[in-house]
Amino acid sequence: MAWKWSEPREAGSDGRGSHARSTLFLRLLRARFARVGRARPYWWRGALSVGAALVIGGAAAFLVATRAPSCAEEGCPTWSGIADYHPPEAPSFYDRDGRLVGHLPGEVRIWVPIDGFPPALLEAIVAVEDRRFYEHAGLDLKGIARAALVNLRSGGVREGASTITMQLARNLWWPRLGEYGRWRRKLVEARLAVRLERELEKQRILELYLNRVYLGRGLYGFGAAARHYYGKAPADLDLSQIATLVGAVKTPERYNPRTNPGLARERRDVVLAVLEQEGIAARERVAAARAEPVSAIDDPPSVQGQGYFAAAVSRELRRLIPDPEIRSGVRVHTTLDPRAQASAERRLAEQIEAIERGSYGRFRHPVPEGDLGRSDGDSDYLQGAVLAMDVRTGAVRAAVGGRSFDHSEFDRAFLAARQPGSAFKPIVYATALAEGRITLAEKVDTSPIELEVVQGVWAPADEQAVGDRMSVRAALARSSNWAAVRVGSAVGPHRVGQVAAALGIASRFEPVPASFLGASVLRPVELVTAYATFANGGDAVRPHVISRIEDRKGRVLYEHPAGSEPVLDPRVAYLTTQALRDVIDGGTGWRAREAGYRGPAAGKTGTTDEWRDAWFVGFNGELATGVWLGFDRPATITERAYGGVVAAPVWGRMMADLYGDGRDAAGFPARPRDMRALEVDASTGYAVSDRCAPEAPRTEYFIPGTEPPALCPIDVAAPVLVSTSTPSSNFGSLPAPVVRTRGPSGSDH
């Protein structure tokens, strides 16, 4: 029968005809020689070898001049660029100390030049995979004849004859060759191998092969395999490790030293025997290598970067370098602190489990049993987020966007828009402090308040009401809703929105009174950024997860700009921080201390209507960390699941993990020099008078010009809302809002 070669088909064409013809031809050939073998048992082997070599060699020679499959858009090389071709490589990312953490999506490869491989590895791969590599021109005709004889006798494929060059051709053009049938693919590989040998030197072919060959678990090339299995560069591998990796080339998943050490050892010993037989390694050295156990490091870098931090790195990398060709193989130096990340993941998971088992009240929602499964949309399970940021630089040290990345890839730390509840109040108070409308010492009205709105009357609730007056400091520490509405209304919602934006909140602030209580939605990363500005003395920083990007040769492509921008009066930042310290040391956030952290700390709790969102954002002089708990579709977590109850403990435990008792933790910026210290009577909010003994004296700090007068309680003829010495002497005149909105109704415990 006639057999005709057909050109490699382009994408979308049908190559089944040529495959069927070639398969039928080989079946007839095998059947014919099988009959000859039975009739002539002594001379048929030689005839078969010669015939097979002539047939396959002639076919390969016929195909030499044809072009390679076109698949450049899928990462394949072109002949014009083959000399300088560099295979696609997944970006690698490193933690803040320069340790390799893992790789972002793509082919996991660490490119190693030919002189970066030890001679023993080069000799071993040739001895095991292609003994005549330096002798043939792409095709090993002796190997082809031997394999054909073995396969025809066995009636199946028992032995291959692919050379290193043919294997490289398969790897380089696989996106198109994978569409071909087996026999057609083999023939195309053969002609590509011959062309490769004409275009490239042997060392270049070997370099490409060692960096392209698949070695299991998503790893390509000996550079990636050496790093992930042994934590080493190829040049540092010992003979046993070299033999193990070379042996894995045959069937990478079967001979994986981490998952199948027994099989990997058997295969390694076979390779060692070859090395001894070929004179590559002395008998004593082989014996020593054979005595070594087969093992791999316990904590390898992530083969494909999984987890919320890696996802954040991928998003930021695509924004900084949109071109995928430039991104290929870059080294991404990140801000990740592995210790902080591990603590955040562990403490959030522990708290979610505690809530679900009823430690904080009856839990009425689904609880996963075993595997969470995969969620393509909103998750049915309780979720959470933790984000920790260096207040001095904006470097994100840890980011957890949910209870499980495998279950839900949606990153709630960076992307979820939620109401912050009372966690927004520090921004309201900071605005009033900046406008000179309040001081921490003066009294604010904490009686019930009702506001006329377009659609009716808005009357926020306040579980923290303990009287008609409270100091501003105490009102923030106890999270009084009525006080916050009065303070916010004194400066107006538009001004509060302006300050929020300056502090780093990019989400829209709704200019209505309910927003003073956290009714406007924002993302957790924005709220943490705002608190970092308080901790940084009023200087705003930009949150980021990438500090530097380098190309394969170490050239810097991007470096995060250092520095910060002053956006808030340092005196206002200092006063706000002082008030937030009281939240933890005696206010709604007192449970944050239960974990044992005793270092500098300031923060605020937050809870929304019907306990749907629970927040705590806290900071010291180094780290600002936000914690959120809730459902993707807002629902009550548990009855009375306040932020101070369920979120603050996560922060406290994480701080204890990172700082111990916290005595050596970084403190807050020093008090600005131009602030005035004054002894006040906490019972009245006035400066202590020489004419009477104060009932509750304490030292308070003031921006010059806002100091209260020195009065005795008897001098106060009538209850006051605030000190009459400041521009904020009339909290009773409230602007009428124009939009009716429903804001958070509860305060925090």
Side-chain angles (χ1 to χ4, degrees):
M1 93 180 257
W3 181 57
K4 180 181 179 182
W5 167 259
S6 60
E7 285 290 320
R9 63 187 175 93
E10 299 297 327
S13 64
D14 187 359
R16 288 177 295 179
S18 63
H19 172 60
R21 287 192 294 272
S22 62
T23 301
L24 179 60
F25 170 77
L26 290 170
R27 287 177 179 173
L28 293 173
L29 183 66
R30 186 168 59 215
R32 174 60 180 165
F33 275 103
R35 289 194 297 271
V36 170
R38 287 193 297 270
R40 300 288 191 275
Y42 297 107
W43 58 267
W44 71 274
R45 293 183 178 86
L48 177 61
S49 299
V50 174
L54 290 174
V55 170
I56 297 176
F62 174 75
L63 296 170
V64 163
T66 59
R67 68 181 187 277
S70 176
C71 56
E73 69 280 359
E74 300 173 75
C76 297
T78 59
W79 287 121
S80 60
I82 189 67
D84 299 319
Y85 172 73
H86 197 296
E89 183 178 342
S92 54
F93 73 100
Y94 301 78
D95 67 16
R96 59 183 297 203
D97 295 320
R99 292 176 297 229
L100 178 65
V101 176
H103 299 268
L104 302 176
E107 291 188 2
V108 179
R109 179 182 293 105
I110 299 176
W111 177 266
V112 179
I114 190 66
D115 56 6
F117 294 104
L121 193 154
L122 300 178
E123 296 180 40
I125 199 70
V126 170
V128 173
E129 292 296 315
D130 187 359
R131 291 176 56 194
R132 285 179 282 274
F133 172 68
Y134 291 105
E135 301 170 11
H136 63 65
L139 302 180
D140 183 0
L141 297 183
K142 292 182 180 179
I144 292 174
R146 183 185 67 253
L149 177 62
V150 171
N151 294 335
L152 286 172
R153 291 185 63 185
S154 66
V157 179
R158 291 290 185 86
E159 185 173 322
S162 292
T163 62
I164 283 177
T165 316
M166 291 175 66
Q167 293 180 52
L168 175 61
R170 181 189 314 134
N171 289 333
L172 290 176
W173 284 281
W174 180 254
R176 185 55 48 80
L177 293 179
E179 301 173 3
Y180 297 165
R182 176 192 295 174
W183 298 110
R184 183 183 181 191
R185 183 171 67 245
K186 288 293 185 183
L187 291 174
V188 175
E189 287 174 10
R191 60 86 191 241
L192 291 174
V194 173
R195 179 75 181 271
L196 281 171
E197 292 278 352
R198 292 210 315 265
E199 298 286 343
L200 304 175
E201 296 181 353
K202 288 286 188 180
Q203 291 298 87
R204 173 61 175 164
I205 291 173
L206 198 56
E207 180 183 60
L208 284 171
Y209 175 78
L210 292 171
N211 282 285
R212 287 271 335 191
V213 65
Y214 182 63
L215 284 164
R217 299 290 169 171
L219 302 171
Y220 293 84
F222 281 84
R227 177 66 62 184
H228 284 265
Y229 290 128
Y230 302 115
K232 299 179 178 180
D236 298 324
L237 296 172
D238 60 35
L239 186 62
S240 174
Q241 294 165 344
I242 288 173
T244 301
L245 293 183
V246 169
V249 171
K250 181 179 182 181
T251 314
E253 303 298 349
R254 177 178 174 82
Y255 299 120
N256 185 312
R258 180 173 290 111
T259 58
N260 296 311
L263 292 174
R265 183 187 186 104
E266 293 178 7
R267 178 64 181 165
R268 179 205 64 180
D269 291 347
V270 170
V271 173
L272 289 173
V274 172
L275 299 184
E276 181 180 354
Q277 179 181 344
E278 297 293 325
I280 296 171
R283 178 179 300 177
E284 295 78 11
R285 190 181 175 198
V286 168
R290 191 176 283 118
E292 292 290 327
V294 169
S295 60
I297 58 176
D298 295 329
D299 188 23
S302 173
V303 173
Q304 285 286 351
Q306 297 293 313
Y308 293 105
F309 198 97
V313 173
S314 291
R315 291 194 301 270
E316 191 165 307
L317 177 61
R318 289 194 297 270
R319 179 178 61 82
L320 294 172
I321 304 181
D323 190 334
E325 292 188 10
I326 299 177
R327 287 200 307 267
S328 175
V330 297
R331 303 169 188 169
V332 184
H333 295 267
T334 75
T335 60
L336 175 67
D337 181 342
R339 188 162 166 254
Q341 181 72 21
S343 174
E345 293 174 357
R346 181 174 68 257
R347 296 309 185 183
L348 179 63
E350 290 173 352
Q351 189 70 341
I352 288 176
E353 182 182 351
I355 294 171
E356 289 179 334
R357 68 170 177 260
S359 298
Y360 294 91
R362 184 178 178 185
F363 188 75
R364 304 173 183 270
H365 304 280
V367 177
E369 297 181 2
D371 187 6
L372 288 168
R374 188 73 176 172
S375 174
D376 296 326
D378 291 340
S379 170
D380 294 329
Y381 302 123
L382 180 63
Q383 294 291 336
V386 179
L387 188 138
M389 179 191 302
D390 190 320
V391 303
R392 301 159 299 187
T393 65
V396 176
R397 300 298 188 207
V400 184
R403 65 187 292 159
S404 169
F405 187 79
D406 291 334
H407 168 62
S408 170
E409 295 184 9
F410 179 63
D411 191 338
R412 296 156 188 84
F414 282 96
L415 305 176
R418 306 297 294 231
Q419 289 185 343
S422 295
F424 188 80
K425 289 176 182 175
I427 298 174
V428 176
Y429 283 85
T431 304
L433 287 166
E435 294 292 304
R437 305 303 296 268
I438 60 172
T439 70
L440 295 184
E442 62 190 289
K443 298 292 185 176
V444 61
D445 186 356
T446 55
S447 62
I449 184 172
E450 293 184 352
L451 300 180
E452 292 289 339
V453 293
V454 171
Q455 297 178 346
V457 175
W458 179 59
D462 193 343
E463 297 183 8
Q464 294 300 312
V466 293
D468 292 336
R469 294 190 302 158
M470 190 182 299
S471 72
V472 168
R473 178 187 286 272
L476 182 55
R478 297 177 66 86
S479 199
S480 168
N481 282 345
W482 294 334
V485 171
R486 286 185 167 89
V487 171
S489 297
V491 293
H494 291 285
R495 182 57 183 149
V496 172
Q498 290 174 347
V499 172
L503 293 175
I505 295 178
S507 298
R508 173 178 168 76
F509 177 81
E510 298 294 339
V512 295
S515 291
F516 301 145
L517 306 183
S520 295
V521 299
L522 49 73
R523 296 172 296 142
V525 63
E526 296 173 332
L527 194 58
V528 174
T529 302
Y531 277 63
T533 305
F534 297 142
N536 201 30
D539 288 353
V541 292
R542 185 153 53 101
H544 59 283
V545 296
I546 295 177
S547 57
R548 189 174 74 257
I549 303 173
E550 301 172 349
D551 66 11
R552 298 184 183 96
K553 296 181 179 179
R555 294 174 298 197
V556 177
L557 303 178
Y558 166 83
E559 192 155 15
H560 182 79
S564 56
E565 178 186 2
V567 298
L568 189 66
D569 188 330
R571 300 171 299 183
V572 173
Y574 177 81
L575 292 173
T576 306
T577 299
Q578 294 307 304
L580 293 178
R581 295 180 73 172
D582 285 1
V583 173
I584 291 181
D585 291 329
T588 59
W590 62 271
R591 289 178 179 84
R593 290 290 195 191
E594 286 188 323
Y597 175 71
R598 296 290 179 265
K604 185 68 184 73
T605 55
T607 312
T608 61
D609 275 347
E610 300 175 359
W611 305 284
R612 294 175 177 175
D613 299 272
W615 293 81
F616 184 82
V617 185
F619 57 91
N620 60 12
E622 178 183 13
L623 206 63
T625 303
V627 179
W628 168 83
L629 288 157
F631 289 92
D632 288 343
R633 292 183 293 273
T636 298
I637 301 171
T638 64
E639 295 294 326
R640 309 184 73 78
Y642 295 102
V645 174
V646 298
V650 178
W651 183 89
R653 293 165 191 152
M654 183 175 171
M655 293 294 283
D657 289 341
L658 300 180
Y659 296 99
D661 62 10
R663 295 176 184 176
D664 297 328
F668 302 112
R671 183 178 75 252
R673 293 182 179 180
D674 59 346
M675 296 192 70
R676 183 179 177 189
L678 193 65
E679 190 175 21
V680 300
D681 188 339
S683 66
T684 66
Y686 294 110
V688 171
S689 172
D690 294 336
R691 296 184 294 107
C692 58
E695 294 182 10
R698 67 166 295 160
T699 300
E700 193 62 86
Y701 298 94
F702 300 89
I703 297 173
T706 66
E707 304 93 334
L711 295 173
C712 292
I714 196 172
D715 297 324
V716 183
V720 294
L721 300 178
V722 295
S723 169
T724 57
S725 65
T726 70
S728 57
S729 60
N730 186 8
F731 273 12
S733 301
L734 299 175
V738 296
V739 179
R740 185 176 189 272
T741 183
R742 182 184 181 187
S745 59
S747 293
D748 302 305
H749 285 186

